[in-house]
Amino acid sequence: MNQDMHFDLVVLAILLAFIAYSLLTRAVERSLLTLPIIFMCLGYVLSEPLRTAAPPEVLHEGKRLLAEITLVLVLFSDASHVRFSQMKQSWRLPARMLVIGLPLSVALGTLVTWLISPEGGIAMALLTAAVLTPTDAALGQSVVTSANVPEKLSETINVESGLNDGLVLPFVLLGAILASAGMAGADTGGLALNAVLQIVLGPLAGIVTGWVVARLMDVAQARRLIAASAEGVVFLAAAFAAYVLASAIGGNGFIAAFVAGMIFGNSYKHNIRFVREFMEGAGLLLTMSSFLVFGALLLPDGLAHASTKTVVIAVMFLTVVRVGAIWLSLAGSGLKPREKLFLGWFGPRGLASILFTLLIIDTYDFANEAELLACVSITVALSILVHGLSSTPLARWIGEADDS
């Protein structure tokens, strides 16, 4: 069998898996299995055939492109559904978790990583903590949508997961730059200034893009100039326009996409359902592809470099770091201990951590890349399994506890 035919067969197997999952989505929702579990395992099974069928440079460029496209759309989409008006009424819990819990998670994670692996240095510890801080509600979707979970808890999880991947970006960028500079022995002054410019100019590009596109689309809607089928194109173009504009002026494109989504969602005066519809369709395909790529290309490499240290770091991030930071951030909130534990536990690591790692490793050169990959791979794999399998029973538990 020649290489082209081998590659075609692997791609066909992947496409058939996409079709099979789509046909059985309702059945999967009723089981303990989740999309991330299924496609991570499928990717791992197809890892060797995929590496054999495709040239390394094709796989490398493909996973980077997939990472950039998916992350831009996820950031824009998640932020576009956060309403300032709604947050005025129920902002306290997610605000505590984001304003206090997120920096605390990064700080505590940095300390834990440095204590366990001091040879990596404080910069690598910061980068590891920042990459492993953002959460992914898709891994515990049954919690967010479950009728058993009190609305204040499910809404808090939803808002936090929608915002924290964008808010943690400056920490990821700073950690990557400092780790890269430390390896090269270069003066970090210029790099620090570059980081500040990216963090400042990125949001500016996002604000301009989000507001202008929202205003133009409002005019088009009011005058009945836009067809419903074209609304998704505007969403796509706006997300990538923010990214490109930020990159052109020296800002961070991912921060720009996140801010643009928030400004667009709160400035657009008509129904924004087309963003959700796109992400439930084409966005679902990107999500399936991302977890498959994780299982096929990242997880095997991560496991190959795994050590006792990386496993301990992964377990600590899923337990002590996350739960401890959230518990402290919710002190004085009036929540019961079990509710604090519930919110702390459901901080699964997934898509954002995977995509940040792909992009950081490809963009920057720093020592201990293998250890970072191992930490992220093991943490995400464990999170996919334990959070996915525990979401339904724990949603039922918190609901029963709330009724009693």
Side-chain angles (χ1 to χ4, degrees):
M1 184 185 300
N2 60 45
Q3 188 174 18
D4 288 342
M5 183 176 292
H6 190 184
F7 180 76
D8 290 342
L9 289 177
V10 173
V11 172
L12 179 60
I14 293 172
L15 293 175
L16 290 175
F18 288 166
I19 293 172
Y21 175 84
S22 300
L23 292 173
L24 299 171
T25 45
R26 290 189 182 276
V28 172
E29 288 173 359
R30 293 192 293 267
S31 72
L32 289 178
L33 295 177
T34 62
L35 180 153
I37 291 176
I38 292 171
F39 284 95
M40 177 186 71
C41 293
L42 175 64
Y44 191 76
V45 170
L46 292 177
S47 176
E48 193 57 38
L50 190 60
R51 290 170 187 265
T52 303
E57 60 273 13
V58 172
L59 294 178
H60 176 76
E61 291 301 322
K63 72 181 181 183
R64 178 186 170 90
L65 181 61
L66 175 65
E68 290 180 335
I69 292 174
T70 307
L71 187 54
V72 168
L73 294 180
V74 166
L75 288 170
F76 188 98
S77 174
D78 284 352
S80 71
H81 290 99
V82 176
R83 292 289 173 271
F84 296 149
S85 58
Q86 294 177 357
M87 289 186 68
K88 288 179 182 178
Q89 319 213 333
S90 56
W91 60 272
R92 288 179 178 82
L93 293 180
R96 280 172 168 265
M97 294 171 70
L98 291 167
V99 176
I100 302 174
L102 187 149
L104 197 55
S105 293
V106 175
L108 184 58
T110 301
L111 177 62
V112 166
T113 304
W114 182 74
L115 289 175
I116 296 173
S117 183
E119 64 276 7
I122 197 70
M124 275 304 300
L126 171 61
L127 176 58
T128 303
V131 167
L132 289 175
T133 291
T135 61
D136 185 354
L139 298 184
Q141 190 60 34
S142 58
V143 170
V144 177
T145 59
S146 175
N148 294 318
V149 179
E151 185 178 353
K152 66 178 179 181
L153 298 184
S154 60
E155 185 175 336
T156 297
I157 293 172
N158 203 30
V159 171
E160 187 218 3
S161 64
L163 291 177
N164 65 9
D165 45 7
L167 295 177
V168 82
L169 270 170
F171 294 102
V172 174
L173 182 62
L174 179 61
I177 290 175
L178 292 179
S180 178
M183 175 185 171
D187 180 13
T188 59
L191 291 172
L193 177 60
N194 181 55
V196 170
L197 289 175
Q198 289 203 44
I199 293 170
V200 171
L201 296 177
L204 288 177
I207 291 170
V208 171
T209 304
W211 189 84
V212 169
V213 173
R215 294 277 69 79
L216 291 175
M217 197 166 177
D218 276 329
V219 171
Q221 286 280 15
R223 299 184 180 181
R224 299 182 180 275
L225 299 175
I226 184 171
S229 58
E231 292 175 338
V233 176
V234 176
F235 158 57
L236 279 173
F240 289 112
Y243 178 87
V244 173
L245 176 60
S247 299
I249 64 175
N252 184 274
F254 298 110
I255 297 178
F258 172 75
V259 174
M262 189 176 295
I263 298 299
F264 179 85
N266 285 276
S267 301
Y268 184 54
K269 297 178 181 178
H270 294 78
N271 198 312
I272 201 173
R273 67 182 184 279
F274 59 88
V275 174
R276 189 180 302 277
E277 289 172 353
F278 179 89
M279 292 304 291
E280 288 176 350
L284 180 63
L285 184 63
L286 288 172
T287 303
M288 290 189 289
S289 301
S290 296
F291 282 109
L292 187 142
V293 166
F294 168 69
L297 303 180
L298 277 177
L299 184 56
D301 290 342
L303 292 177
H305 295 100
S307 64
T308 302
K309 287 184 178 181
T310 57
V311 173
V312 172
I313 289 172
V315 173
M316 290 292 285
F317 267 93
L318 294 177
T319 54
V320 174
V321 172
R322 163 69 186 184
V323 178
I326 295 303
W327 181 282
L328 290 173
S329 73
L330 294 173
S333 64
L335 289 180
K336 300 172 183 177
R338 64 171 176 269
E339 293 174 323
K340 295 178 185 177
L341 287 173
F342 186 80
L343 291 175
W345 172 246
F346 277 106
R349 304 329 194 270
L351 196 57
S353 294
I354 296 168
L355 300 177
F356 285 154
T357 303
L358 279 172
L359 293 166
I360 290 300
I361 287 179
D362 196 61
T363 304
Y364 297 92
D365 292 319
F366 45 82
N368 293 54
E369 282 188 6
E371 183 172 286
L372 174 65
L373 179 60
C375 287
V376 173
S377 298
I378 295 170
T379 305
V380 172
L382 286 176
S383 183
I384 286 173
L385 293 173
V386 299
H387 287 112
L389 295 174
S390 67
S391 58
T392 298
L394 287 184
R396 192 179 300 116
W397 169 76
I398 196 69
E400 292 171 354
D402 189 64
D403 292 336
S404 60

